[in-house]
Amino acid sequence: MIEAHELTKRYGDKTAVDGLGFVVRPGTVTGFLGPNGAGKSTTMRMIVGLDAPTSGSVTVNGKRYAQHSAPLQEVGALLEAKSIHPGRSAYHHINALALSHGIPRRRVEEVIELTGLQSVARKRAGAFSLGMGQRLGIAAALLGDPATVMLDEPVNGLDPEGVLWIRNLLTGLAAEGRTVFVSSHLMSEMALVADHLIVVGRGRLLADTTVKDLVRAAGGDTVRVATADPARLREVLAGPGVEITGEAGTEELQVVGMTARAIGYKAAEHGIPLFELSDRTVSLEQAFMDLTRDAVEYHGTIGIDTTGKAA
Amino acid sequence: MTTATTTQPPASASVEPARPPYKVTGGRVLRSEWAKLWTLRSTWITLGLGLLFLVAFGLIASARYKSAITSGDHMDADFARSTSVSLSLFGTNFAQLALGVLGVLVTAGEYSTGMIRSTLAAVPRRLPVLWSKAAVFGVVALVISTVGAFVTFLFGSGIVSGTPAAMTISHAGVVRALFGAGLYLGLVGVIGTALGALLRSVAGGISVLVATLMLIPGLVSLLPNAWADHISPYLPAAAGQSMFAVYRDAHTLSPTAGLLVFLIWTALALAGAAWRLVRTDA
């Protein structure tokens, strides 16, 4: 359980995190989503006390992280970049962390096995590939058998097999009743593992919602229909709970609140020929982009139309 | 009776499964830092170099003195006034660099690599990390330097026996000077760790260390004599050196006063390091 309250972090006159408040609950995977520079890493660093909040507070299982007598048992964190000494072997890195908590050597070997690092555990960690480095970071995060697991961009730089491994790991940890908090700037990745989403942009909370609700709010389940006589089709389809939009002068209509199947039947019943009838499910990516459009820190100069139409 | 007990679920099943009683303690942080020190190759290399400098340069200085005496070569006044202790401890100038640099690496190395994030996530109270690093490395440097000083004296005093510099280990102040040299180098190690933690940069830490131990004494000699005489004995390097001098000059501190002054410098460096560690984001 992570609780943030009015969490704010300023660096000089730049506000990285701005009055952020959220609760991350146990038993589910909570995605922490936002464009680059949204304040995700800073928030995570404040959770484990590496950065001190300018104002506000964040607690883990009811206490500030530093107040716990065995911090690694409360939160296991994988933070950005490599948090290792490249000259030390994977085994010795984990063991040094274990010694600070009195975690037995058996557990050190366990997490090394769990992350599949046995064959390289005695090698200098500096020579590890990006994927191995991530695995080592995750081994360190799981070391204390923590109630909360917090991973910052865990799939960055992983091959497909590694990505799949992380996904299974995260859902497995949540199923064990742990709090799992994962940041990403990739909505598509989050959609596969996260149940709950906390979306931030420019340090502010944009949404605290579930994946389903986010899609619904972004206008998912729209049906696109084209016909020679849109005005007549409108009349036919009109009814309670049905919302029809369409630009004047085009043959196209967008219908919300009816399935494509029902529209097809209705049109056939009234003898209206249809040229096109398709479900336009809003992708999560789209929903995310709509939500964060105004909060993107660095806009590209080349116009990319996110709706997929030509710009 | 039996129904009453069966309807009640066993207490242990209703609570979370027992979690192992992990806990961060001062002793464990110390053990962790001890393990961290010895699992890096740079530690072994730099300590080896420090010991080599201490022993080799001491013996070379002794041999050089002996050959100058026997051949009747001209020696400058300082060198002519050498004792077997000062000759044997000639290498401290070089060993202090190796040990001080390693001290800087122990702390600043964690910042330059990113290891500090793991370290402080495990020990978020932070200060125990600094105390442990300083203690572990200080003691290691102290032990190695003390052994090195005694070994060098053992052979060095053999080389210069029969010359005016000769002194045996039973001579007044010799044992104290050798222990003083070990203590000095141990404290240089502590100052190194403090500077590394204060500046969070290997290059910065080493620069300040070298400046403090080697450059500032030279700069102070540019001051008018009346000032320099009052300032220079209290500078870290001079105060430290009086800890392992057998004879006292007019303008140096007594060994005890030297130790005291050097301890104050060490404490200042540690205080600065502690302040930065607690006050600024990692």
Side-chain angles (χ1 to χ4, degrees), chain B residues 3-37:
Chain B
T3 47
T5 47
T6 44
T7 49
Q8 202 87 6
S12 61
S14 62
V15 298
E16 285 176 31
R19 305 177 70 197
Y22 301 148
K23 191 176 188 325
V24 177
T25 64
R28 284 173 175 165
V29 178
L30 214 51
R31 280 192 65 193
S32 171
E33 290 303 330
W34 173 265
K36 275 197 215 164
L37 181 67

PDB file of all heavy atoms in Angstrom, chain B residues 3-37:
ATOM      1  N   THR B   3     -16.891 -28.112  19.847  1.00  0.00           N
ATOM      2  CA  THR B   3     -17.454 -27.288  18.775  1.00  0.00           C
ATOM      3  C   THR B   3     -16.942 -25.853  18.867  1.00  0.00           C
ATOM      4  O   THR B   3     -16.690 -25.209  17.864  1.00  0.00           O
ATOM      5  CB  THR B   3     -18.999 -27.286  18.827  1.00  0.00           C
ATOM      6  OG1 THR B   3     -19.386 -27.059  20.170  1.00  0.00           O
ATOM      7  CG2 THR B   3     -19.565 -28.574  18.293  1.00  0.00           C
ATOM      8  N   ALA B   4     -16.808 -25.405  20.107  1.00  0.00           N
ATOM      9  CA  ALA B   4     -16.335 -24.039  20.288  1.00  0.00           C
ATOM     10  C   ALA B   4     -14.940 -23.855  19.699  1.00  0.00           C
ATOM     11  O   ALA B   4     -14.627 -22.821  19.111  1.00  0.00           O
ATOM     12  CB  ALA B   4     -16.316 -23.676  21.766  1.00  0.00           C
ATOM     13  N   THR B   5     -14.108 -24.843  19.869  1.00  0.00           N
ATOM     14  CA  THR B   5     -12.739 -24.697  19.352  1.00  0.00           C
ATOM     15  C   THR B   5     -12.688 -24.847  17.838  1.00  0.00           C
ATOM     16  O   THR B   5     -11.876 -24.223  17.182  1.00  0.00           O
ATOM     17  CB  THR B   5     -11.786 -25.743  19.981  1.00  0.00           C
ATOM     18  OG1 THR B   5     -12.416 -26.999  19.913  1.00  0.00           O
ATOM     19  CG2 THR B   5     -11.433 -25.371  21.409  1.00  0.00           C
ATOM     20  N   THR B   6     -13.583 -25.690  17.295  1.00  0.00           N
ATOM     21  CA  THR B   6     -13.499 -25.894  15.842  1.00  0.00           C
ATOM     22  C   THR B   6     -14.072 -24.718  15.057  1.00  0.00           C
ATOM     23  O   THR B   6     -13.600 -24.420  13.970  1.00  0.00           O
ATOM     24  CB  THR B   6     -14.230 -27.186  15.398  1.00  0.00           C
ATOM     25  OG1 THR B   6     -15.477 -27.233  16.077  1.00  0.00           O
ATOM     26  CG2 THR B   6     -13.395 -28.415  15.683  1.00  0.00           C
ATOM     27  N   THR B   7     -15.088 -24.052  15.635  1.00  0.00           N
ATOM     28  CA  THR B   7     -15.637 -22.915  14.896  1.00  0.00           C
ATOM     29  C   THR B   7     -14.639 -21.759  14.837  1.00  0.00           C
ATOM     30  O   THR B   7     -14.646 -20.962  13.913  1.00  0.00           O
ATOM     31  CB  THR B   7     -16.936 -22.403  15.544  1.00  0.00           C
ATOM     32  OG1 THR B   7     -16.702 -22.248  16.936  1.00  0.00           O
ATOM     33  CG2 THR B   7     -18.090 -23.357  15.289  1.00  0.00           C
ATOM     34  N   GLN B   8     -13.796 -21.714  15.847  1.00  0.00           N
ATOM     35  CA  GLN B   8     -12.765 -20.665  15.879  1.00  0.00           C
ATOM     36  C   GLN B   8     -11.627 -21.068  14.937  1.00  0.00           C
ATOM     37  O   GLN B   8     -11.002 -22.098  15.134  1.00  0.00           O
ATOM     38  CB  GLN B   8     -12.218 -20.549  17.310  1.00  0.00           C
ATOM     39  CG  GLN B   8     -11.566 -19.230  17.606  1.00  0.00           C
ATOM     40  CD  GLN B   8     -12.591 -18.207  18.081  1.00  0.00           C
ATOM     41  OE1 GLN B   8     -13.768 -18.515  18.286  1.00  0.00           O
ATOM     42  NE2 GLN B   8     -12.155 -16.974  18.236  1.00  0.00           N
ATOM     43  N   PRO B   9     -11.380 -20.292  13.867  1.00  0.00           N
ATOM     44  CA  PRO B   9     -10.252 -20.679  13.010  1.00  0.00           C
ATOM     45  C   PRO B   9      -8.929 -20.504  13.758  1.00  0.00           C
ATOM     46  O   PRO B   9      -8.824 -19.635  14.623  1.00  0.00           O
ATOM     47  CB  PRO B   9     -10.355 -19.690  11.838  1.00  0.00           C
ATOM     48  CG  PRO B   9     -11.118 -18.529  12.368  1.00  0.00           C
ATOM     49  CD  PRO B   9     -12.019 -19.047  13.454  1.00  0.00           C
ATOM     50  N   PRO B  10      -7.987 -21.363  13.444  1.00  0.00           N
ATOM     51  CA  PRO B  10      -6.701 -21.231  14.139  1.00  0.00           C
ATOM     52  C   PRO B  10      -6.139 -19.819  13.920  1.00  0.00           C
ATOM     53  O   PRO B  10      -6.209 -19.296  12.799  1.00  0.00           O
ATOM     54  CB  PRO B  10      -5.807 -22.279  13.484  1.00  0.00           C
ATOM     55  CG  PRO B  10      -6.630 -22.967  12.451  1.00  0.00           C
ATOM     56  CD  PRO B  10      -8.018 -22.424  12.461  1.00  0.00           C
ATOM     57  N   ALA B  11      -5.645 -19.244  14.981  1.00  0.00           N
ATOM     58  CA  ALA B  11      -5.194 -17.852  14.934  1.00  0.00           C
ATOM     59  C   ALA B  11      -4.136 -17.631  13.847  1.00  0.00           C
ATOM     60  O   ALA B  11      -4.130 -16.618  13.167  1.00  0.00           O
ATOM     61  CB  ALA B  11      -4.639 -17.440  16.287  1.00  0.00           C
ATOM     62  N   SER B  12      -3.277 -18.623  13.689  1.00  0.00           N
ATOM     63  CA  SER B  12      -2.163 -18.434  12.761  1.00  0.00           C
ATOM     64  C   SER B  12      -2.643 -18.351  11.315  1.00  0.00           C
ATOM     65  O   SER B  12      -2.015 -17.720  10.482  1.00  0.00           O
ATOM     66  CB  SER B  12      -1.144 -19.565  12.912  1.00  0.00           C
ATOM     67  OG  SER B  12      -1.762 -20.789  12.605  1.00  0.00           O
ATOM     68  N   ALA B  13      -3.780 -18.986  11.007  1.00  0.00           N
ATOM     69  CA  ALA B  13      -4.245 -18.991   9.627  1.00  0.00           C
ATOM     70  C   ALA B  13      -4.899 -17.669   9.244  1.00  0.00           C
ATOM     71  O   ALA B  13      -4.930 -17.301   8.077  1.00  0.00           O
ATOM     72  CB  ALA B  13      -5.215 -20.131   9.404  1.00  0.00           C
ATOM     73  N   SER B  14      -5.438 -16.969  10.252  1.00  0.00           N
ATOM     74  CA  SER B  14      -6.162 -15.753   9.933  1.00  0.00           C
ATOM     75  C   SER B  14      -5.221 -14.582   9.652  1.00  0.00           C
ATOM     76  O   SER B  14      -5.552 -13.677   8.912  1.00  0.00           O
ATOM     77  CB  SER B  14      -7.123 -15.389  11.067  1.00  0.00           C
ATOM     78  OG  SER B  14      -6.385 -15.151  12.242  1.00  0.00           O
ATOM     79  N   VAL B  15      -4.055 -14.619  10.246  1.00  0.00           N
ATOM     80  CA  VAL B  15      -3.106 -13.540   9.979  1.00  0.00           C
ATOM     81  C   VAL B  15      -2.246 -13.910   8.773  1.00  0.00           C
ATOM     82  O   VAL B  15      -2.273 -15.031   8.290  1.00  0.00           O
ATOM     83  CB  VAL B  15      -2.197 -13.253  11.201  1.00  0.00           C
ATOM     84  CG1 VAL B  15      -3.026 -12.805  12.367  1.00  0.00           C
ATOM     85  CG2 VAL B  15      -1.367 -14.454  11.539  1.00  0.00           C
ATOM     86  N   GLU B  16      -1.489 -12.931   8.287  1.00  0.00           N
ATOM     87  CA  GLU B  16      -0.600 -13.205   7.171  1.00  0.00           C
ATOM     88  C   GLU B  16       0.437 -14.233   7.596  1.00  0.00           C
ATOM     89  O   GLU B  16       0.780 -14.314   8.762  1.00  0.00           O
ATOM     90  CB  GLU B  16       0.128 -11.909   6.772  1.00  0.00           C
ATOM     91  CG  GLU B  16      -0.747 -10.939   6.025  1.00  0.00           C
ATOM     92  CD  GLU B  16      -0.016  -9.639   5.734  1.00  0.00           C
ATOM     93  OE1 GLU B  16       1.217  -9.705   5.556  1.00  0.00           O
ATOM     94  OE2 GLU B  16      -0.667  -8.586   5.721  1.00  0.00           O
ATOM     95  N   PRO B  17       0.917 -15.003   6.634  1.00  0.00           N
ATOM     96  CA  PRO B  17       1.968 -15.953   6.996  1.00  0.00           C
ATOM     97  C   PRO B  17       3.150 -15.217   7.629  1.00  0.00           C
ATOM     98  O   PRO B  17       3.487 -14.113   7.227  1.00  0.00           O
ATOM     99  CB  PRO B  17       2.363 -16.578   5.652  1.00  0.00           C
ATOM    100  CG  PRO B  17       1.726 -15.727   4.596  1.00  0.00           C
ATOM    101  CD  PRO B  17       0.544 -15.076   5.232  1.00  0.00           C
ATOM    102  N   ALA B  18       3.714 -15.843   8.638  1.00  0.00           N
ATOM    103  CA  ALA B  18       4.784 -15.195   9.386  1.00  0.00           C
ATOM    104  C   ALA B  18       5.897 -14.759   8.446  1.00  0.00           C
ATOM    105  O   ALA B  18       6.344 -15.527   7.598  1.00  0.00           O
ATOM    106  CB  ALA B  18       5.326 -16.151  10.433  1.00  0.00           C
ATOM    107  N   ARG B  19       6.327 -13.518   8.586  1.00  0.00           N
ATOM    108  CA  ARG B  19       7.408 -13.041   7.731  1.00  0.00           C
ATOM    109  C   ARG B  19       8.694 -13.078   8.529  1.00  0.00           C
ATOM    110  O   ARG B  19       8.708 -12.817   9.712  1.00  0.00           O
ATOM    111  CB  ARG B  19       7.101 -11.617   7.267  1.00  0.00           C
ATOM    112  CG  ARG B  19       5.747 -11.554   6.585  1.00  0.00           C
ATOM    113  CD  ARG B  19       5.415 -10.150   6.193  1.00  0.00           C
ATOM    114  NE  ARG B  19       6.267  -9.708   5.103  1.00  0.00           N
ATOM    115  CZ  ARG B  19       6.423  -8.431   4.788  1.00  0.00           C
ATOM    116  NH1 ARG B  19       5.843  -7.510   5.501  1.00  0.00           N
ATOM    117  NH2 ARG B  19       7.186  -8.094   3.780  1.00  0.00           N
ATOM    118  N   PRO B  20       9.783 -13.417   7.847  1.00  0.00           N
ATOM    119  CA  PRO B  20      11.053 -13.506   8.569  1.00  0.00           C
ATOM    120  C   PRO B  20      11.405 -12.163   9.193  1.00  0.00           C
ATOM    121  O   PRO B  20      11.128 -11.118   8.607  1.00  0.00           O
ATOM    122  CB  PRO B  20      12.054 -13.908   7.485  1.00  0.00           C
ATOM    123  CG  PRO B  20      11.359 -13.697   6.179  1.00  0.00           C
ATOM    124  CD  PRO B  20       9.890 -13.763   6.432  1.00  0.00           C
ATOM    125  N   PRO B  21      11.961 -12.201  10.385  1.00  0.00           N
ATOM    126  CA  PRO B  21      12.208 -10.955  11.110  1.00  0.00           C
ATOM    127  C   PRO B  21      13.471 -10.240  10.644  1.00  0.00           C
ATOM    128  O   PRO B  21      14.468 -10.200  11.352  1.00  0.00           O
ATOM    129  CB  PRO B  21      12.343 -11.428  12.554  1.00  0.00           C
ATOM    130  CG  PRO B  21      12.884 -12.821  12.430  1.00  0.00           C
ATOM    131  CD  PRO B  21      12.420 -13.377  11.127  1.00  0.00           C
ATOM    132  N   TYR B  22      13.435  -9.690   9.456  1.00  0.00           N
ATOM    133  CA  TYR B  22      14.584  -8.921   8.998  1.00  0.00           C
ATOM    134  C   TYR B  22      14.596  -7.574   9.706  1.00  0.00           C
ATOM    135  O   TYR B  22      13.562  -7.040  10.066  1.00  0.00           O
ATOM    136  CB  TYR B  22      14.504  -8.672   7.488  1.00  0.00           C
ATOM    137  CG  TYR B  22      14.451  -9.909   6.634  1.00  0.00           C
ATOM    138  CD1 TYR B  22      13.751  -9.928   5.434  1.00  0.00           C
ATOM    139  CD2 TYR B  22      15.123 -11.074   7.018  1.00  0.00           C
ATOM    140  CE1 TYR B  22      13.697 -11.063   4.644  1.00  0.00           C
ATOM    141  CE2 TYR B  22      15.077 -12.207   6.228  1.00  0.00           C
ATOM    142  CZ  TYR B  22      14.360 -12.204   5.045  1.00  0.00           C
ATOM    143  OH  TYR B  22      14.321 -13.313   4.259  1.00  0.00           O
ATOM    144  N   LYS B  23      15.793  -7.026   9.874  1.00  0.00           N
ATOM    145  CA  LYS B  23      15.890  -5.726  10.526  1.00  0.00           C
ATOM    146  C   LYS B  23      17.251  -5.116  10.208  1.00  0.00           C
ATOM    147  O   LYS B  23      18.263  -5.830  10.197  1.00  0.00           O
ATOM    148  CB  LYS B  23      15.749  -5.913  12.050  1.00  0.00           C
ATOM    149  CG  LYS B  23      15.566  -4.617  12.821  1.00  0.00           C
ATOM    150  CD  LYS B  23      15.332  -4.955  14.287  1.00  0.00           C
ATOM    151  CE  LYS B  23      14.946  -3.810  15.162  1.00  0.00           C
ATOM    152  NZ  LYS B  23      15.511  -2.521  14.880  1.00  0.00           N
ATOM    153  N   VAL B  24      17.268  -3.825   9.962  1.00  0.00           N
ATOM    154  CA  VAL B  24      18.546  -3.139   9.734  1.00  0.00           C
ATOM    155  C   VAL B  24      19.115  -2.751  11.090  1.00  0.00           C
ATOM    156  O   VAL B  24      18.430  -2.119  11.896  1.00  0.00           O
ATOM    157  CB  VAL B  24      18.351  -1.872   8.877  1.00  0.00           C
ATOM    158  CG1 VAL B  24      19.669  -1.135   8.717  1.00  0.00           C
ATOM    159  CG2 VAL B  24      17.786  -2.230   7.516  1.00  0.00           C
ATOM    160  N   THR B  25      20.354  -3.160  11.371  1.00  0.00           N
ATOM    161  CA  THR B  25      21.005  -2.736  12.609  1.00  0.00           C
ATOM    162  C   THR B  25      22.373  -2.158  12.265  1.00  0.00           C
ATOM    163  O   THR B  25      22.887  -2.380  11.167  1.00  0.00           O
ATOM    164  CB  THR B  25      21.221  -3.927  13.565  1.00  0.00           C
ATOM    165  OG1 THR B  25      22.121  -4.843  12.930  1.00  0.00           O
ATOM    166  CG2 THR B  25      19.925  -4.642  13.888  1.00  0.00           C
ATOM    167  N   GLY B  26      22.937  -1.419  13.207  1.00  0.00           N
ATOM    168  CA  GLY B  26      24.256  -0.833  12.981  1.00  0.00           C
ATOM    169  C   GLY B  26      25.292  -1.881  12.615  1.00  0.00           C
ATOM    170  O   GLY B  26      26.082  -1.706  11.700  1.00  0.00           O
ATOM    171  N   GLY B  27      25.274  -2.982  13.340  1.00  0.00           N
ATOM    172  CA  GLY B  27      26.238  -4.048  13.091  1.00  0.00           C
ATOM    173  C   GLY B  27      26.094  -4.637  11.706  1.00  0.00           C
ATOM    174  O   GLY B  27      27.078  -4.977  11.052  1.00  0.00           O
ATOM    175  N   ARG B  28      24.840  -4.758  11.261  1.00  0.00           N
ATOM    176  CA  ARG B  28      24.604  -5.338   9.934  1.00  0.00           C
ATOM    177  C   ARG B  28      25.049  -4.394   8.826  1.00  0.00           C
ATOM    178  O   ARG B  28      25.570  -4.842   7.798  1.00  0.00           O
ATOM    179  CB  ARG B  28      23.119  -5.686   9.782  1.00  0.00           C
ATOM    180  CG  ARG B  28      22.787  -6.945  10.546  1.00  0.00           C
ATOM    181  CD  ARG B  28      21.312  -7.227  10.551  1.00  0.00           C
ATOM    182  NE  ARG B  28      21.085  -8.514  11.192  1.00  0.00           N
ATOM    183  CZ  ARG B  28      19.903  -8.937  11.619  1.00  0.00           C
ATOM    184  NH1 ARG B  28      18.849  -8.173  11.469  1.00  0.00           N
ATOM    185  NH2 ARG B  28      19.797 -10.118  12.185  1.00  0.00           N
ATOM    186  N   VAL B  29      24.838  -3.102   9.020  1.00  0.00           N
ATOM    187  CA  VAL B  29      25.305  -2.135   8.021  1.00  0.00           C
ATOM    188  C   VAL B  29      26.830  -2.206   7.943  1.00  0.00           C
ATOM    189  O   VAL B  29      27.426  -2.183   6.870  1.00  0.00           O
ATOM    190  CB  VAL B  29      24.840  -0.707   8.365  1.00  0.00           C
ATOM    191  CG1 VAL B  29      25.374   0.295   7.360  1.00  0.00           C
ATOM    192  CG2 VAL B  29      23.317  -0.639   8.399  1.00  0.00           C
ATOM    193  N   LEU B  30      27.450  -2.354   9.109  1.00  0.00           N
ATOM    194  CA  LEU B  30      28.902  -2.494   9.175  1.00  0.00           C
ATOM    195  C   LEU B  30      29.361  -3.722   8.386  1.00  0.00           C
ATOM    196  O   LEU B  30      30.306  -3.663   7.603  1.00  0.00           O
ATOM    197  CB  LEU B  30      29.302  -2.617  10.649  1.00  0.00           C
ATOM    198  CG  LEU B  30      30.613  -2.027  11.133  1.00  0.00           C
ATOM    199  CD1 LEU B  30      30.771  -0.587  10.725  1.00  0.00           C
ATOM    200  CD2 LEU B  30      30.697  -2.142  12.659  1.00  0.00           C
ATOM    201  N   ARG B  31      28.667  -4.828   8.580  1.00  0.00           N
ATOM    202  CA  ARG B  31      29.021  -6.068   7.868  1.00  0.00           C
ATOM    203  C   ARG B  31      28.834  -5.899   6.372  1.00  0.00           C
ATOM    204  O   ARG B  31      29.618  -6.394   5.564  1.00  0.00           O
ATOM    205  CB  ARG B  31      28.139  -7.224   8.353  1.00  0.00           C
ATOM    206  CG  ARG B  31      28.606  -7.823   9.649  1.00  0.00           C
ATOM    207  CD  ARG B  31      27.886  -9.127   9.915  1.00  0.00           C
ATOM    208  NE  ARG B  31      28.214 -10.145   8.925  1.00  0.00           N
ATOM    209  CZ  ARG B  31      27.544 -11.289   8.775  1.00  0.00           C
ATOM    210  NH1 ARG B  31      26.516 -11.551   9.541  1.00  0.00           N
ATOM    211  NH2 ARG B  31      27.908 -12.174   7.881  1.00  0.00           N
ATOM    212  N   SER B  32      27.748  -5.212   6.012  1.00  0.00           N
ATOM    213  CA  SER B  32      27.458  -4.988   4.605  1.00  0.00           C
ATOM    214  C   SER B  32      28.570  -4.159   3.959  1.00  0.00           C
ATOM    215  O   SER B  32      29.051  -4.478   2.865  1.00  0.00           O
ATOM    216  CB  SER B  32      26.106  -4.280   4.481  1.00  0.00           C
ATOM    217  OG  SER B  32      25.875  -3.857   3.169  1.00  0.00           O
ATOM    218  N   GLU B  33      28.997  -3.110   4.671  1.00  0.00           N
ATOM    219  CA  GLU B  33      30.055  -2.258   4.118  1.00  0.00           C
ATOM    220  C   GLU B  33      31.388  -2.999   4.060  1.00  0.00           C
ATOM    221  O   GLU B  33      32.190  -2.788   3.149  1.00  0.00           O
ATOM    222  CB  GLU B  33      30.189  -0.969   4.938  1.00  0.00           C
ATOM    223  CG  GLU B  33      29.013  -0.012   4.773  1.00  0.00           C
ATOM    224  CD  GLU B  33      28.768   0.389   3.318  1.00  0.00           C
ATOM    225  OE1 GLU B  33      29.735   0.427   2.533  1.00  0.00           O
ATOM    226  OE2 GLU B  33      27.607   0.644   2.968  1.00  0.00           O
ATOM    227  N   TRP B  34      31.610  -3.848   5.039  1.00  0.00           N
ATOM    228  CA  TRP B  34      32.826  -4.679   5.041  1.00  0.00           C
ATOM    229  C   TRP B  34      32.832  -5.564   3.791  1.00  0.00           C
ATOM    230  O   TRP B  34      33.829  -5.656   3.070  1.00  0.00           O
ATOM    231  CB  TRP B  34      32.849  -5.516   6.325  1.00  0.00           C
ATOM    232  CG  TRP B  34      33.946  -6.535   6.392  1.00  0.00           C
ATOM    233  CD1 TRP B  34      33.848  -7.856   6.049  1.00  0.00           C
ATOM    234  CD2 TRP B  34      35.298  -6.336   6.822  1.00  0.00           C
ATOM    235  NE1 TRP B  34      35.056  -8.482   6.234  1.00  0.00           N
ATOM    236  CE2 TRP B  34      35.955  -7.581   6.714  1.00  0.00           C
ATOM    237  CE3 TRP B  34      36.002  -5.228   7.294  1.00  0.00           C
ATOM    238  CZ2 TRP B  34      37.294  -7.743   7.060  1.00  0.00           C
ATOM    239  CZ3 TRP B  34      37.349  -5.395   7.634  1.00  0.00           C
ATOM    240  CH2 TRP B  34      37.974  -6.640   7.516  1.00  0.00           C
ATOM    241  N   ALA B  35      31.696  -6.191   3.531  1.00  0.00           N
ATOM    242  CA  ALA B  35      31.593  -7.070   2.360  1.00  0.00           C
ATOM    243  C   ALA B  35      31.761  -6.274   1.072  1.00  0.00           C
ATOM    244  O   ALA B  35      32.443  -6.708   0.142  1.00  0.00           O
ATOM    245  CB  ALA B  35      30.236  -7.780   2.353  1.00  0.00           C
ATOM    246  N   LYS B  36      31.171  -5.080   1.034  1.00  0.00           N
ATOM    247  CA  LYS B  36      31.271  -4.260  -0.169  1.00  0.00           C
ATOM    248  C   LYS B  36      32.723  -3.885  -0.456  1.00  0.00           C
ATOM    249  O   LYS B  36      33.160  -3.878  -1.592  1.00  0.00           O
ATOM    250  CB  LYS B  36      30.470  -2.971   0.016  1.00  0.00           C
ATOM    251  CG  LYS B  36      29.022  -3.077  -0.311  1.00  0.00           C
ATOM    252  CD  LYS B  36      28.505  -1.668  -0.482  1.00  0.00           C
ATOM    253  CE  LYS B  36      27.105  -1.540   0.013  1.00  0.00           C
ATOM    254  NZ  LYS B  36      26.770  -0.126   0.198  1.00  0.00           N
ATOM    255  N   LEU B  37      33.458  -3.563   0.629  1.00  0.00           N
ATOM    256  CA  LEU B  37      34.849  -3.135   0.454  1.00  0.00           C
ATOM    257  C   LEU B  37      35.677  -4.226  -0.211  1.00  0.00           C
ATOM    258  O   LEU B  37      36.414  -3.973  -1.156  1.00  0.00           O
ATOM    259  CB  LEU B  37      35.447  -2.761   1.813  1.00  0.00           C
ATOM    260  CG  LEU B  37      36.894  -2.261   1.779  1.00  0.00           C
ATOM    261  CD1 LEU B  37      36.994  -0.923   1.068  1.00  0.00           C
ATOM    262  CD2 LEU B  37      37.470  -2.144   3.189  1.00  0.00           C
TER     263      LEU B  37
END
